[in-house]
Amino acid sequence: MHKVSIITPCLNAAPFIQTALLSIAEQNYPNLEHIIVDGGSTDETLTIVERYKMESTSVLSERDNGTSQAINNGFAIALGAYAWVLNADDMLAAPDSISTLAAYLDNHPQCDFVFGHMNMLDATGRQIGVRSFSKGYGVTDLLADRRHLPFAGCLIRRKIFKDLGGFNTSYQYSNDLDFYLRLAAKHSICRLNKVTGSFRLHAASSTSSHIAMSGQETARICIDALNDDRIISQLKRDPDVIRSAIRLFQASCEFHDGEAQAVRHHLWKAAQLTPSVLIGVKPWIYGLLSLGGTQFMHMTAAQLRRLIHKKGWYSINNAG
């Protein structure tokens, strides 16, 4: 039975890390190690870790330059043939999540990375949706909808992580998308038709608290990928259609940032690339709202975010 390594980067994660630790401790996979990489927490994080860690848990506590470096540091000392990351505010979905994922890699030697569907949770741990994914996932899927694959409830062959050079430490918000694009360009990504991870959405998470910056970084990664010949050669759609979709995405990011002129600029560029985008409702909504100016856009975007959080509109399905 192959050893599995789960790496948890954390910094001041006291409000959530207990549930992550318990979800690992209850796994029925016997050959499991847990590596916690703490970036110098000043709250009760390490006290909680000491209380709930397993015998096979290692704790590395030192200052780092962010999540990407912490993950890379964890992988550097991992011993498992299979490994992946569980963030401190996320959870494994069930006691058999790791055993199911590991068994898939055991039985499918052509597969290098396996993932499952993902529960969406609010800050209290209440389920507010399920995000499901299509069976095959490649560079076209990643670029076309920019919806990152799950981060909780996945496993990779550790040698593949090493071959890819780990996570790019220059990215703060969308380091997972960058890694998945590099992974998909060279290796096989497989899906289990089962929920294996739980992702928590809360106000303090990086993507929730920095929507515009996160989105801009995502767009930059996608644009750079479309300049890579390996990526272009694998696309199953017209590159201009994807570029147009990225422009629309950039318009939405600038909307959240209150940049009215930039919204209209990206909408115009999207229409130049693919005129059919004007058939959709969303470009017209962003365009009309941008006429209200920066303050109006800030107010509208903030109200929209509050409504989404209140209603729990996080049930995302991109299964095809």
Side-chain angles (χ1 to χ4, degrees):
M1 179 178 288
H2 291 103
K3 180 182 284 292
V4 171
S5 303
I6 299 298
I7 295 149
T8 298
C10 61
L11 178 65
N12 294 331
F16 304 117
I17 196 169
Q18 177 181 333
T19 53
L21 294 170
L22 290 174
S23 78
I24 293 174
E26 69 178 4
Q27 292 300 302
N28 60 18
Y29 193 82
N31 197 8
L32 177 66
E33 71 169 356
H34 187 201
I35 300 170
I36 298 172
V37 186
D38 179 76
S41 293
T42 56
D43 64 359
E44 297 298 310
T45 296
L46 291 176
T47 301
I48 296 170
V49 167
E50 285 299 316
R51 187 180 306 149
Y52 291 100
K53 71 179 184 180
M54 307 181 299
E55 285 187 16
S56 59
T57 299
S58 302
V59 180
L60 178 63
S61 185
E62 60 184 21
R63 293 196 177 277
D64 52 52
N65 291 324
T67 304
S68 292
Q69 185 183 352
I71 292 171
N72 291 344
N73 290 347
F75 265 91
I77 62 173
L79 299 176
Y82 309 147
W84 196 240
V85 182
L86 182 73
N87 285 326
D89 49 358
D90 298 334
M91 289 175 280
L92 295 168
D96 66 346
S97 291
I98 294 298
S99 60
T100 303
L101 291 162
Y104 191 92
L105 290 178
D106 285 343
N107 296 324
H108 298 82
Q110 79 283 0
C111 179
D112 295 315
F113 180 91
V114 60
F115 67 95
H117 303 310
M118 182 169 64
N119 288 327
M120 307 294 284
L121 312 176
D122 67 10
T124 67
R126 177 178 66 94
Q127 184 170 334
I128 54 178
V130 176
R131 185 171 174 189
S132 54
F133 295 83
S134 55
K135 186 174 182 180
Y137 226 80
V139 294
T140 305
D141 308 278
L142 289 163
L143 289 169
D145 60 19
R146 298 159 310 283
R147 290 176 182 170
H148 307 187
L149 287 171
F151 215 53
C154 311
L155 281 182
I156 192 172
R157 299 185 190 276
R158 185 167 57 89
K159 64 179 182 180
I160 300 299
F161 184 91
K162 183 179 179 181
D163 290 344
L164 290 171
F167 278 73
N168 188 329
T169 57
S170 65
Y171 294 125
Q172 184 175 0
Y173 306 105
S174 300
N175 49 7
D176 52 346
L177 177 59
D178 169 72
F179 181 84
Y180 287 145
L181 280 166
R182 289 186 284 120
L183 174 68
K186 295 178 62 178
H187 299 283
S188 173
I189 297 176
C190 307
R191 187 213 67 183
L192 280 172
N193 191 22
K194 177 178 180 176
V195 174
T196 54
S198 298
F199 176 81
R200 194 192 302 262
L201 280 159
H202 57 93
S205 66
S206 61
T207 49
S208 293
S209 56
H210 301 94
I211 289 177
M213 288 185 288
S214 171
Q216 289 160 2
E217 186 173 274
T218 293
R220 190 164 63 250
I221 289 169
C222 291
I223 292 167
D224 288 345
L226 285 168
N227 291 321
D228 187 327
D229 290 339
R230 287 181 307 170
I231 298 290
I232 292 293
S233 67
Q234 296 184 45
L235 287 181
K236 299 177 182 178
R237 296 190 193 178
D238 182 345
D240 279 347
V241 172
I242 296 178
R243 290 188 179 98
S244 180
I246 293 169
R247 286 288 188 175
L248 285 179
F249 177 71
Q250 288 175 289
S252 72
C253 297
E254 298 294 354
F255 167 75
H256 283 283
D257 218 19
E259 297 292 338
Q261 186 174 349
V263 169
R264 294 191 289 272
H265 169 76
H266 288 302
L267 291 175
W268 171 244
K269 291 294 185 181
Q272 286 183 308
L273 286 163
T274 314
S276 60
V277 301
L278 296 177
I279 298 173
V281 175
K282 190 178 291 185
W284 291 100
I285 292 175
Y286 285 133
L288 290 171
L289 290 175
S290 74
L291 298 177
T294 298
Q295 186 174 355
F296 174 74
M297 289 174 63
H298 273 306
M299 180 183 68
T300 306
Q303 289 177 342
L304 179 61
R305 288 193 294 271
R306 283 195 293 269
L307 184 63
I308 289 172
H309 277 277
K310 182 179 180 180
K311 297 294 185 180
W313 291 340
Y314 293 112
S315 183
I316 304 170
N317 187 318
N318 63 325

